[in-house]
Amino acid sequence: MQRRKIGPPRGGLVQPMLGIGLALAVFLATIECGTAAQEEFPSVRRSKCTQSNDRLRVYEGHDNVLMKRLAALRTEMRTRTSTQSVELDAYLVPAYDEHQSTFLMESDQRVQFLTGFTGTIGEAVVLQHSAALWTDDRFLAQADQELNCAWRLYRTGERPTVAEYLLSELTPSARVGGDPQLIPHQQWKALEGELSAEFIRLVPINRNLVDMVWGARRPASSALKVHPVRFAGERWDAKVAKLRANLTALRCDGMIVTSLTEIAYLLNLRGGDIPHVPVFKAYLLVTHRELLLYTNGSRVTHGIKNHLKAHSCHNENCVQLREYGDVWRDLRTMAQHWHRLLVPAAIVFDTGASEAIHAVLPHNIVFERPSPIIFLRAQKNDVEKRGMRQAHIRDGVAMCEVLSRLEERFVAGDRITELSLAREIDHARKIQNNSEGIAFPTSVASGKHSSLPNYTPTNRTNAELTESMLLIDSGGQYEDGTTEVSRTLHLGDPTPEQIQAYTNVLIGMIRLSMLTFPENLKPAELDALARGPVWGSMNDYPHGTGHGIGSYSAVRESPISISYTAKQRFTFKEGYFFSNEPGYYKPGAFGIRLENVLEVIDTGKTHPTGHKFLAFQDVTLVPFEWKLIDRTMLSVPEKKWLNGYNARIRQLVGSELKRMHKMDAFYWMMNKTRHVPEYVSEADYNGAAPSTYGRLPFVNVITVALLLARCTLN
């Protein structure tokens, strides 16, 4: 269906600096256009924007600064000097940097600068008469609150797609611009194909227009540091040798590495360019004869050069250093001598190389395939496996210490807010041995906020903790591992509905953890185990059940993704680590998520087909909420698993807490991990009802000692 092209509002709105009144005029003109996409594809209803006759009306609290930025971007779209003599009808603003990273440097947060949306998943499209943002279910509520009413909001994975939106808004011969360095090649080609069918051009704009509005910002310049072999478990030149063997098998002359986590892993280097992920901005070119690292040379110290053997480097076993921007010149020059170059393709959480990388290379030499580094990195060596286990013990110590104080202080009447508790959790991790900070922003969600699957408190939303459900999602970066854990507590008396929902989530988590399976089983096929109990209550959760996790790297790592909607062919291998995180969310009421990190282990047994039997071992060691578990809902094997898990917490975390003389946290932990009778009826629990017998107050040392007479304390 072809639509009338709606031009920009009249009134000479081409000046980059707009007054408040003029910005409002732009917005009202935008509203009155009544665009075609809104008629054909209704957007997500905005809670703070009233709707009438399918037209959004202005909300008095809209942000005039953001309106000015939107107007200034539209001016850049019309200004020929900034768009290489091409006037644009639409402009794409993806939530990526040049390396398609999930977390971004502040200077790369272009979607946030333009829209005010702070979520990590979002894609914006700006036309002269409309603007829209796509995000997934986890961030919809957050986007609704943070976007002003100039923006339509759409759900990723549902209609309209970005292409459908553009086709409904634009007429043939229209031009859509985008920065090819920020858009993955696969996405670029898919969008280009859909638009060209309607004679709409996708135009590469090498000067980013949001940057033109934003102005100069600080480049990446954090210090680099060596990740020592005592944590990495393997020298970098040994890793490069494995990669080159893979390239030989694929008959490739080399590969261009664009992922920052892959470069950090391969060279045993870490940096601080991006919050929460210990990486640095760089490209790496690997051939059979050379290694070239492109990064900001001012931060390469003498020690880093020694580590990389970069002094007088003239062979294949040392790293030549180049400036970050030189990669484009070298790719053009060196491509003349290559027959086949591996360029990373999209795989699970990695989107592959950018359109700009593909555009600079001759098409006939490009071999597009998932990076072999992803599979080398996912299978942890013995040192990394031991480090991940030790990191989770220290992480368990930090969480037990914070949660024990939380209950005691709450009962005492202290005022505790979501943000203050998040800061306490972050501090508790920071003081642990080998700590390198947090792995992602800590989420503390109290009451109704817990029903938002990806809620993170801000100064605007910060709430005081009450006698309600409390969901905590957090993780740490340690030199020997990365952690992630979610726990749901209740600071009052839970309802039977909440107890049942929590227990269903716990059962799903246990069923996945208990599984023994042949190694050729696909991760997606495990999803029903965890979701089954939640599905049984006619509910579901809007996120995957699990994802791979790195070792002192990204908290979300390919190639493992557990979701029944995933179509990945990749299977588990011994030494993989991944999350197990089922949930339950009742909109506007409460939410539950439980998350452990699991290690894939080899059972030593063989399936009749010859495949190995694999199993899982939980490495996260943080107690569950005793008062929210209905033990009558658990089967005997599930009770055995819970008792075994609690025994490991008492042994591993308990011994550390005692060694550190943190006895309040120790006794709190012991109370939360007490033994569950496996073959006794619920009536034997002193006749208490399932929904009430577990509600124990914070108890003193003597009381706990009596309760735990059966436990052996190390």
Side-chain angles (χ1 to χ4, degrees):
M1 178 171 56
Q2 299 296 331
R3 300 289 185 179
R4 177 177 61 87
K5 183 177 177 182
I6 302 175
R10 293 178 295 174
L13 303 181
V14 296
Q15 298 299 322
M17 298 301 296
L18 296 172
I20 292 178
L22 201 52
L24 184 59
V26 174
F27 185 47
L28 290 173
T30 298
I31 299 303
E32 290 305 314
C33 286
T35 59
Q38 193 167 351
E39 298 168 5
E40 187 172 354
F41 301 113
S43 60
V44 174
R45 182 172 292 274
R46 303 292 307 283
S47 62
K48 68 179 185 181
C49 308
T50 60
Q51 288 184 311
S52 176
N53 298 325
D54 293 326
R55 297 179 181 179
L56 289 175
R57 296 189 183 278
V58 68
Y59 172 64
E60 292 181 357
H62 81 277
D63 189 338
N64 290 288
V65 173
L66 295 176
M67 289 303 304
K68 291 179 182 179
R69 293 172 183 173
L70 186 58
L73 177 59
R74 286 170 171 154
T75 298
E76 293 291 345
M77 291 165 58
R78 295 192 297 269
T79 304
R80 294 178 180 272
T81 56
S82 64
T83 58
Q84 304 164 340
S85 301
V86 176
E87 183 174 344
L88 299 177
D89 301 283
Y91 188 69
L92 309 175
V93 187
Y96 291 125
D97 61 9
E98 299 90 337
H99 306 273
Q100 286 64 61
S101 306
T102 301
F103 290 109
L104 302 175
M105 292 177 54
E106 184 178 352
S107 57
D108 287 325
Q109 293 173 358
R110 296 176 178 89
V111 170
Q112 180 176 338
F113 169 81
L114 183 66
T115 70
F117 173 59
T118 60
T120 56
I121 297 176
E123 181 178 10
V125 175
V126 176
L127 287 76
Q128 292 293 349
H129 57 275
S130 66
L133 182 134
W134 282 256
T135 190
D136 73 9
D137 278 328
R138 294 174 296 162
F139 295 96
L140 276 177
Q142 178 181 345
D144 177 39
Q145 292 300 313
E146 292 179 340
L147 296 175
N148 66 39
C149 295
W151 291 89
R152 299 194 199 115
L153 180 59
Y154 294 108
R155 182 183 279 104
T156 302
E158 296 185 2
R159 299 190 70 189
T161 63
V162 170
E164 288 173 333
Y165 178 79
L166 290 169
L167 290 172
S168 68
E169 291 282 288
L170 302 174
T171 58
S173 77
R175 294 181 177 90
V176 178
D179 185 340
Q181 290 194 54
L182 306 186
I183 302 176
H185 170 70
Q186 190 176 50
Q187 293 182 17
W188 182 282
K189 287 303 178 185
L191 181 59
E192 185 178 51
E194 291 186 71
L195 296 181
S196 63
E198 299 295 333
F199 305 101
I200 296 174
R201 285 188 59 198
L202 181 57
V203 183
I205 305 298
N206 294 318
R207 298 184 67 185
N208 190 281
L209 301 192
V210 176
D211 291 353
M212 300 288 290
V213 175
W214 202 345
R217 301 183 303 289
R218 180 180 64 83
S221 59
S222 70
L224 305 184
K225 73 171 189 174
V226 174
H227 187 49
V229 174
R230 71 177 185 275
F231 295 128
E234 190 175 18
R235 294 169 55 90
W236 68 262
D237 46 5
K239 296 179 180 180
V240 170
K242 290 181 181 178
L243 175 60
R244 282 175 167 151
N246 273 277
L247 295 176
T248 298
L250 295 170
R251 303 192 309 279
C252 290
D253 299 302
M255 75 171 289
I256 178 70
V257 188
T258 62
S259 164
L260 303 185
T261 54
E262 292 178 37
I263 295 171
Y265 164 81
L266 192 67
L267 297 180
N268 284 350
L269 290 176
R270 296 295 189 267
D273 286 356
I274 293 179
H276 318 309
V277 186
V279 296
F280 57 98
K281 284 284 191 78
Y283 291 98
L284 180 67
L285 188 57
V286 181
T287 72
H288 295 289
R289 296 183 178 181
E290 292 179 301
L291 282 167
L292 295 98
L293 178 65
Y294 299 87
T295 191
N296 184 344
S298 64
R299 58 182 173 178
V300 179
T301 63
H302 184 75
I304 297 297
K305 290 181 180 179
N306 286 340
H307 170 72
L308 298 174
K309 308 174 189 176
H311 298 287
S312 302
C313 176
H314 301 293
N315 61 66
E316 69 275 13
N317 294 319
C318 58
V319 178
Q320 300 177 45
L321 298 172
R322 298 281 192 273
E323 285 298 321
Y324 183 71
D326 291 346
V327 66
W328 308 105
R329 178 201 62 201
D330 285 1
L331 283 175
R332 290 188 187 94
T333 303
M334 299 173 73
Q336 302 173 31
H337 308 288
W338 293 326
H339 298 288
R340 196 178 200 188
L341 183 74
L342 193 154
V343 180
I347 168 177
V348 191
F349 304 116
D350 293 80
T351 60
S354 68
E355 169 62 17
I357 291 289
H358 281 261
V360 79
L361 294 168
H363 295 304
N364 63 308
I365 73 166
V366 171
F367 179 60
E368 200 172 1
R369 188 183 181 92
S371 170
I373 302 171
I374 286 173
F375 303 96
L376 295 174
R377 180 185 62 190
Q379 195 163 15
K380 276 56 175 180
N381 58 49
D382 288 342
V383 172
E384 290 174 313
K385 287 187 285 189
R386 185 166 57 251
M388 287 286 279
R389 297 170 197 146
Q390 292 299 317
H392 280 84
I393 292 173
R394 295 193 300 277
D395 209 63
V397 167
M399 291 300 295
C400 286
E401 189 174 5
V402 172
L403 296 181
S404 65
R405 290 198 305 263
L406 168 66
E407 290 199 7
E408 190 173 25
R409 290 171 52 208
F410 186 82
V411 170
D414 288 2
R415 182 181 183 273
I416 308 169
T417 67
E418 293 170 334
L419 281 178
S420 68
L421 180 56
R423 287 192 289 267
E424 286 185 42
I425 294 170
D426 295 348
H427 177 73
R429 283 196 169 93
K430 183 178 180 180
I431 62 177
Q432 300 299 317
N433 291 338
N434 302 330
S435 176
E436 292 292 321
I438 59 176
F440 54 94
T442 297
S443 173
V444 176
S446 176
K448 294 180 180 180
H449 287 167
S450 65
S451 68
L452 305 175
N454 214 67
Y455 172 82
T456 300
T458 65
N459 289 329
R460 180 177 58 81
T461 64
N462 188 28
E464 185 174 347
L465 305 192
T466 60
E467 291 187 356
S468 61
M469 208 70 97
L470 177 65
L471 197 162
I472 300 173
D473 183 21
S474 64
Q477 290 286 10
Y478 302 87
E479 287 185 288
D480 50 353
T482 299
T483 70
E484 182 175 16
V485 56
S486 296
R487 287 294 182 266
T488 303
L489 316 173
H490 200 292
L491 297 178
D493 291 329
T495 65
E497 177 190 19
Q498 292 171 334
I499 292 172
Q500 183 181 39
Y502 182 98
T503 308
N504 276 331
V505 173
L506 177 61
I507 290 171
M509 183 186 212
I510 293 174
R511 288 179 181 176
L512 181 55
S513 294
M514 290 172 58
L515 187 68
T516 299
F517 61 98
E519 62 183 339
N520 61 334
L521 189 69
K522 304 293 189 298
E525 295 167 347
L526 301 181
D527 199 15
L529 278 175
R531 289 185 192 266
V534 179
W535 284 342
S537 63
M538 304 303 162
N539 208 303
D540 202 353
Y541 44 92
H543 53 74
T545 293
H547 57 78
I549 184 168
S551 175
Y552 190 28
S553 185
V555 76
R556 184 181 291 257
E557 182 178 272
S558 301
I560 295 300
S561 174
I562 302 179
S563 174
Y564 65 92
T565 60
K567 306 300 180 186
Q568 303 300 335
R569 66 183 185 278
F570 311 107
T571 57
F572 291 104
K573 294 185 183 299
E574 187 271 336
Y576 279 14
F577 286 78
F578 70 99
S579 68
N580 174 10
E581 48 182 308
Y584 174 97
Y585 307 93
K586 183 176 181 180
F590 66 90
I592 297 161
R593 185 161 68 251
L594 300 175
E595 178 180 15
N596 277 6
V597 173
L598 306 186
E599 176 185 353
V600 182
I601 59 176
D602 187 347
T603 66
K605 305 296 183 180
T606 304
H607 189 271
T609 60
H611 291 287
K612 294 178 181 178
F613 268 116
L614 301 177
F616 300 134
Q617 176 68 65
D618 292 73
V619 293
T620 302
L621 296 168
V622 179
F624 297 108
E625 176 59 277
W626 181 266
K627 73 171 76 171
L628 282 169
I629 303 173
D630 183 349
R631 269 74 75 192
T632 63
M633 293 174 60
L634 301 180
S635 67
V636 170
E638 289 159 0
K639 291 177 183 177
K640 285 180 177 291
W641 181 94
L642 183 58
N643 284 330
Y645 180 72
N646 286 340
R648 291 182 62 234
I649 295 175
R650 292 196 298 270
Q651 177 188 356
L652 298 173
V653 177
S655 61
E656 275 297 293
L657 289 169
K658 285 194 295 182
R659 186 186 65 81
M660 300 168 70
H661 304 292
K662 298 182 180 296
M663 299 310 295
D664 285 346
F666 173 80
Y667 288 116
W668 175 90
M669 176 275 300
M670 294 296 288
N671 185 32
K672 295 291 184 180
T673 60
R674 57 193 184 272
H675 185 81
V676 176
E678 296 166 4
Y679 296 98
V680 182
S681 68
E682 191 62 26
D684 292 331
Y685 286 98
N686 298 321
S691 61
T692 61
Y693 78 88
R695 301 176 192 165
L696 296 179
F698 188 84
V699 291
N700 59 32
V701 173
I702 296 175
T703 305
V704 172
L706 293 173
L707 286 170
L708 302 173
R710 72 175 65 203
C711 298
T712 300
L713 305 183
N714 295 324

